[in-house]
Amino acid sequence: MSDPIRTLVRVRRSLVLAPVLVVAFALVGCTTTPEPSEPEVAEAPTMSPLEPALNPIVDPWAGLPTLIDADWAARAAAATGIPDRAMLAYGGAAVYAANQNPSCNLGWNTLAGIGEMESHHGTIDGSSIGADGLVTPPILGIALDGATTNAIPDSDQGAIDGDAEWDRAVGPLQFIPDSWRNWGADGSGDGKVDPQNFDDAVLATANYLCHAGGDLSVPDNWRMAIAAYNDAAPYAVGVSEYAIRYSNDLATG
């Protein structure tokens, strides 16, 4: 993408590098140059079991939490350690995608893996998700001023990110303003499109992943979708590890 979505948190995993191999030869000591190891490749997770929606998607739109069984969300939250309010959004977005774009095959656990990597499910730096989906205090990334990131000058006059000099990634799923203008969605049913609303941000992420990857049950397509969100290889590995762990936790919890 010409304007990829940027993340707030740094990826906490590093690529595994092979140790230096020292080989002694007769008469001459020699340290060989190590062969670089293959970088870790993200294992595409399968879709995790999901209870049917309580209600079909109807007009007027009432939001993601209305689409998923609240008891299932509570059980999944207890098994995975994900906040219950975040589980309602992840599960609801997976149901929404299954209804609106059934060929996408987006699992709630993929959304949860991204949510963990981006903001610990909306809880980074003491933030929390309210009953209405709003995250407080608001989550803002660092200024994308080129010091440690790509330089992205202000594109919204500070209207979305509060910074009229440089763009910043905003909200629990960390959209830059230009991407939010393209993909922002009303996931809460309140008639607003707010990157600081967890439901809105998760629905926007679901729509973006389906657009970027197509059928996410195909491993290469899943990796392509995650790379469109963040093209750092360790990021994809982290998302896949969390997604697989959450699915296993639910299956055994």
Side-chain angles (χ1 to χ4, degrees), residues 36-245:
S37 63
E38 291 294 323
E40 273 188 288
V41 176
E43 179 182 352
T46 57
M47 293 177 65
S48 186
L50 187 68
E51 294 288 333
L54 282 178
N55 300 303
I57 298 173
V58 297
D59 188 19
W61 168 232
L64 297 180
T66 67
L67 301 181
I68 197 69
D69 185 337
D71 290 338
W72 175 87
R75 292 196 306 273
T80 60
I82 296 171
D84 183 81
R85 186 61 184 77
M87 277 302 314
L88 287 169
Y90 297 142
V95 168
Y96 187 96
N99 277 271
Q100 299 296 305
N101 193 351
S103 64
C104 176
N105 294 306
L106 172 64
W108 67 264
N109 51 326
T110 288
L111 293 167
I114 292 175
E116 169 63 46
M117 293 292 288
E118 296 294 352
S119 69
H120 307 312
H121 313 295
T123 67
I124 195 169
D125 293 334
S127 291
S128 61
I129 311 169
D132 58 0
L134 283 176
V135 173
T136 53
I139 298 173
L140 291 172
I142 62 173
L144 301 175
D145 58 8
T148 59
T149 66
N150 291 340
I152 305 180
D154 173 65
S155 65
D156 65 329
Q157 292 74 54
I160 295 174
D161 59 9
D163 188 334
E165 183 177 4
W166 300 99
D167 271 352
R168 296 172 182 259
V170 295
L173 275 297
Q174 289 292 277
F175 284 85
I176 61 173
D178 197 41
S179 293
W180 184 254
R181 284 194 297 271
N182 289 332
W183 294 99
D186 177 17
S188 64
D190 64 0
K192 303 174 184 177
V193 178
D194 184 351
Q196 300 290 352
N197 184 290
F198 202 83
D199 298 325
D200 293 2
V202 171
L203 182 55
T205 299
N207 291 339
Y208 183 81
L209 293 175
C210 289
H211 171 81
D215 181 358
L216 302 185
S217 68
V218 178
D220 284 346
N221 290 1
W222 184 90
R223 295 186 190 99
M224 180 169 59
I226 301 302
Y229 206 91
N230 183 310
D231 62 3
Y235 182 86
V237 171
V239 171
S240 71
E241 289 182 346
Y242 281 118
I244 291 167
R245 182 208 300 179

